[in-house]
Amino acid sequence: MVQTEKRVGSKETFTLFVDNILENKDRSWLQRTFNKFGVVRDTIILRKRSNCTGNKFGFVRYECRVAAGMVAARMNGAWVENMKTFC
């Protein structure tokens, strides 16, 4: 799991790395999946492939440390649609 913290103006953001994203999934799917834990500020899925899994990877950003921590604790290694996610 990789979680980073950044302050932009007066707001903090907490970024989570998500690996092993299925080919047919997009940013809106990523947002819906991770919105269950708190309000997602934004998401991105890169075109590059993960060196580790060979699948797509992306990032999810929260403005709430608690939500980001909850996601890291619950989703790291969780199975989502027959694929193990890494946060």
Side-chain angles (χ1 to χ4, degrees):
M1 184 208 79
V2 176
Q3 180 177 348
T4 62
E5 184 176 328
K6 183 178 181 183
R7 182 171 289 281
V8 178
S10 64
K11 293 193 177 204
E12 286 183 304
T13 60
F14 303 90
T15 304
L16 297 170
F17 169 75
V18 182
D19 196 4
N20 214 16
I21 299 172
L22 291 170
E23 187 63 37
N24 63 343
K25 301 306 178 193
D26 59 12
R27 289 178 57 201
S28 63
W29 173 84
L30 195 61
Q31 179 129 5
R32 285 191 314 273
T33 301
F34 285 85
N35 246 352
K36 297 172 188 173
F37 301 97
V39 177
V40 172
R41 180 173 180 176
D42 60 7
T43 61
I44 187 169
I45 296 178
L46 301 177
R47 292 183 186 184
K48 290 177 73 175
R49 299 295 171 161
S50 167
N51 290 335
C52 183
T53 64
N55 288 326
K56 296 191 308 185
F57 65 94
F59 298 92
V60 177
R61 285 198 314 176
Y62 290 92
E63 290 181 4
C64 175
R65 179 189 307 266
V66 174
M70 188 182 314
V71 170
R74 291 181 145 183
M75 293 295 285
N76 190 23
W79 288 85
V80 177
E81 296 187 24
N82 298 324
M83 293 292 280
K84 197 169 193 175
T85 63
F86 301 94
C87 298

